[in-house]
Amino acid sequence: MAGTSTMNPVARARMRLHDGWTRQPRAVRLLFVVLLALFFYALPLMRPPILTTQQTDFGGIMFSSAALALVAVGLNIVIGYAGLLDLGYIGFYLVGAYTTGVLTSQHFQWPFFLVLPIAIAVTMLSGVILGAPTLRVRGDYLAIVTLGFGEIIRLVVTNVEWLGAAAGIKDIPHPPTIGPSPKPPFGDGGLFTIPQLTWDGLIPSIDPDRGTRFLVFGAVDAIPYYWLILTVLILVMIGDKLVKNSRVGRAWEATREDEDAAELMGVPTFRFKLLAFAMGAAIGGLSGSLFASSQGGYINPLSFPLLLSILFVAAVIVGGAGNRWGAVVGGVLVAYLPERFREFADFRLLVFGLALMILPVYRPQGLLPPARTIRAKAAEKEIELLEEGELAEDGVVASGTTSGMSTTDDETGEGA
Amino acid sequence: MNFQFLFDNFIGLTVTGLAFGAIYALVALGYTMVYGVLQLINFAHSEVFMYGTFAVAWVFVFFHGTVASTESLGASLGLLSVALVAAMLVSAAIALLLERVAYRPLLTRNAPRLMALISAIGASFVLAEAMGLRNRFAAWVGLDDDLDNYVAKARDVYPNPVTIQPQGLFTVGGYTVKDVDLLVIVAALLMMVALDQFVRRTRFGRGIRAVAQDPESAALMGVNSTRVVQVTFLIGGLMAGAAATFYMLKIGATRQNAGFILGVKAFTAAVLGGIGNLRGALLGGLLLGVVENYGAAIFGTDWKDVVSFVLLILILLVRPSGLLGESLGKARA
C-alpha cells in the first residue's frame, strides 16, 4: 500500500480496513450495509444499556442525533467538499422550518408531504439568492457574511408579525399516520405494535408496558420520526455519494484545494460554489422542515440561536470535514454527548467545550478525515523524510521513492 | 420608518453611537490583531471581554459592597481607574491563557486552521460556562459564603452596584453631551492612537508587522514569532479589558454570556474596516456604532442588529476586503 509506512498505527489500521472492504465482493458489501442500516433502525427499540439515556427519552435523542447528522451531511457539502466556511447554515434550517410552518399551519393548511418539496425548493432558492452576490467574498469574510445572513433571517422572523414574531408558529401538522389514526383512549392507531426491550444488567427482556405503534407520527413517540429521518438520511447519503463521485464532486474538490488553479483549468468555480451552496441549503431546508413538524409541532425564533449554527460547523469539523461518514459521526456526537451526560446537568457544556478543545490537539484532521487526506499527509511526510535523508543509504531512498510516488491516482480516496 | 425622529435627535444619536462604536472598536482590535498575525478568527475573544466586565463589577463590589451608591462620574474617577486597571489585567491574563491552552498546542502541530476555530469555540464555551458556574466552584472549595457577593446568581444578570450618574457637560445643537460618552470616546481614541503608534514605531511593532506579512521569513530574520503571538494576544486582552470598563460604564450590568453578541458585533466591525488593519477596526467600529444607532432610530430598536449586518453585507459586496482592506503586514511605518 503506497505511503502507509509513515502513517500512524490508527490511520494504517483504517487504511487496511478500507482496502479489505473494497476487496470484498459487491454482494457482501451490500449485505453488510443493509444489516448495519437494520441495526440502526432497531436501535431505539433495543435500548442497549450503556448507550441509552436515563433521564430523557432515548427515541427523542436518537431523533435529534439523526437530525443533526442530516444537517451535518448537508453542511459537509459546503464546508468539506467546496471549502466554503458557512457560519450561517442555521439560516437555511430556519427557512425550511418556517416555510413548512407557514404553509401547513400559519396561513395555509397544506398537507405536510406536499409542503416538504416546496420547503426544499424555497431554501435552495434562498441559498442561490445568498450565494450569488456573496460568493465573490472569500475565506473568513464569507464566514462573517454568512453569519450575518443567519442573524438577519433570525431577527426578521423575530420581528415580522406575519411569520408569528416571537410567539412562533404552533400546531404544525405531523406527517400522516399509516394505518388507522389513533383515537385515544380506545385505539392506539398505526398498523401494529413493536415491543421494546428492557435490560436487567446485560440480560434483555421484552417490556410489555412499552411499545411503539408502527408509523404513528405524533407527540407521544419520537421513534417513527427517527425512522423517517433515518430513511431520509440514507437517501441523502446515497445522493451525496453519487454527486461526490461525479464531475461535480471533483470540481468542488479542485475549487477547495486551489481556486485560481481550478479556474485556469477551465472549472467555472463560481458556478460550482453556487451549486454547493444551493445543495447544502436544500438539505438544510429539508432537515429544518422535518424539525418543524417533529413532535411538538412548534417553532419560534428561539429554536434557532446562532450558537446552534456554530455547533453545526463544529459537528462537521469534529467529524472530519470532507468525509460524509465523518459528518454523520460528528453530528451524532454533538447531539448525543450533552444529552448522555445530563446527570452532570450544569457541567455538560463545560465538558463539551473541553472536549472541543482537546480534540483538535489529538485529532487535528477530525475524527474521520477523508482517506485522501490521510494518504496525502503520509505521502508528504515520506517526501519530507526523503529530502532530509538524501545522504542516507541509497537503497532506502530508492525503495522509498517508488512507494512515495505512486500515491492515489487510481484510488478514488473515498472515506470507507 | 421614523425619519423625523432621526433628524430631531441627530446629534444625540451620533454621540451615543460613537460611544458604542468606540467600545466595538476596542474589542475589534483583539480580533483584528490576532487575525493579522495568525490568520484565524479568535472566537473566544468575546469571553476575554466578558471576564473584563466581571473584573470591573468585582472591583466595585470590593470597594463599595453591593449597596447601591450613586455618584457622579468625577467623584468615581478614582474607583473607575482602579477598575480599568483590574479589567485590563484580568482580560490580558485570560487572553494569554487562551493563547497558551487553546492555540499554541495546535500551532506547534501545524493543525489545519479550521481546527483552531473549533478549539476557540471550545475555549469560548469553557470560559463562559466557568463564569456561569462560579457559585458551584466556590461551593466546592467552601468559600461560597465568603464570596457571596461575587458569585451570587451565577447565570443571572450581574449588576454593577455602583451606578455612575452621567452628567451633562456642554450643549451642541440642542443636545447635551454627557461626560460618560465623552470619556468613552476620548479614552478609546487615545488608546487606539497609542496602539497604532506602538505597532508603527517600536521594535516590537515591527516584529508584529513582520510576522503578519510573512511568518517564515520573519522567523528567518530572527523574530521570535511565539513571543510576537503572545504580545498580540496580550494587547488584544488589554484593549478588551478597557472596552469592558467602558461597557460597564454605559450598560452597567453583565452576565456570563454578555460577550457573545458584542463579540459578533466587534468582529463585524473588524471585517467592515478590513480585518488585520488597526485603523480599519477603529473606522469599522465607529461606523457600525453610529449606523446602528441611526437604524434603530429609523426602523425601531428591534431592527438595530439587522441594520448592522445589512451594512456589513453591502460594504463587503462593494469592497470584498473591507473598507481599508490592507493588512497589518502591509502597514508601513
Side-chain angles (χ1 to χ4, degrees), chain A residues 349, chain B residues 46-47 50-51 53-54 124-134 153-158 254-260:
Chain A
L349 273 180
Chain B
S46 49
E47 267 55 49
M50 182 270 287
Y51 274 75
T53 60
F54 272 94
S124 166
F125 272 119
V126 170
L127 286 172
E129 285 298 307
M131 185 53 90
L133 294 166
R134 60 189 185 278
K153 286 186 262 163
R155 280 173 194 271
D156 290 352
V157 173
Y158 190 84
T254 183
R255 57 183 300 185
Q256 109 271 6
N257 60 2
F260 186 72

Side-chain angles (χ1 to χ4, degrees), chain A residues 257-344:
Chain A
E257 294 305 329
D258 190 334
E259 201 172 331
D260 298 321
E263 186 77 54
L264 286 174
M265 298 312 264
V267 178
T269 53
F270 179 79
R271 216 179 296 164
F272 279 108
K273 285 200 288 185
L274 196 58
L275 182 66
F277 229 66
M279 286 187 65
I283 297 174
L286 170 66
S287 34
S289 183
L290 290 170
F291 167 76
S293 92
S294 72
Q295 297 216 283
Y298 172 65
I299 50 171
N300 70 3
L302 293 180
S303 330
F304 307 93
L306 198 54
L307 204 63
L308 192 58
S309 204
I310 290 169
L311 281 184
F312 289 168
V313 176
V316 172
I317 299 177
V318 162
N323 182 343
R324 76 181 68 84
W325 289 100
V328 170
V329 170
V332 169
L333 283 184
V334 167
Y336 174 79
L337 283 185
E339 292 302 329
R340 178 66 186 79
F341 295 105
R342 212 171 246 283
E343 48 266 42
F344 303 104

Side-chain angles (χ1 to χ4, degrees), chain B residues 154-269:
Chain B
R155 280 173 194 271
D156 290 352
V157 173
Y158 190 84
N160 193 352
V162 182
T163 30
I164 291 166
Q165 291 298 327
Q167 288 180 341
L169 280 184
F170 51 86
T171 309
V172 183
Y175 176 76
T176 315
V177 177
K178 295 194 186 66
D179 48 7
V180 173
D181 293 331
L182 199 68
L183 176 82
V184 170
I185 296 170
V186 171
L189 280 179
L190 283 180
M191 285 189 159
M192 294 280 203
V193 171
L195 179 61
D196 193 58
Q197 291 305 310
F198 174 78
V199 172
R200 267 159 211 271
R201 299 212 189 281
T202 63
R203 210 176 126 75
F204 233 112
R206 197 158 59 210
I208 292 176
R209 281 180 287 132
V211 174
Q213 204 164 31
D214 187 342
E216 279 181 15
S217 309
L220 288 175
M221 295 296 154
V223 179
N224 182 345
S225 62
T226 317
R227 180 69 57 79
V228 163
V229 170
Q230 263 179 332
V231 170
T232 315
F233 271 86
L234 177 81
I235 294 175
L238 290 174
M239 295 295 156
T245 315
F246 302 140
Y247 177 86
M248 289 305 271
L249 201 59
K250 290 250 352 141
I251 307 273
T254 183
R255 57 183 300 185
Q256 109 271 6
N257 60 2
F260 186 72
I261 279 297
L262 194 121
V264 172
K265 287 286 185 56
F267 185 62
T268 306

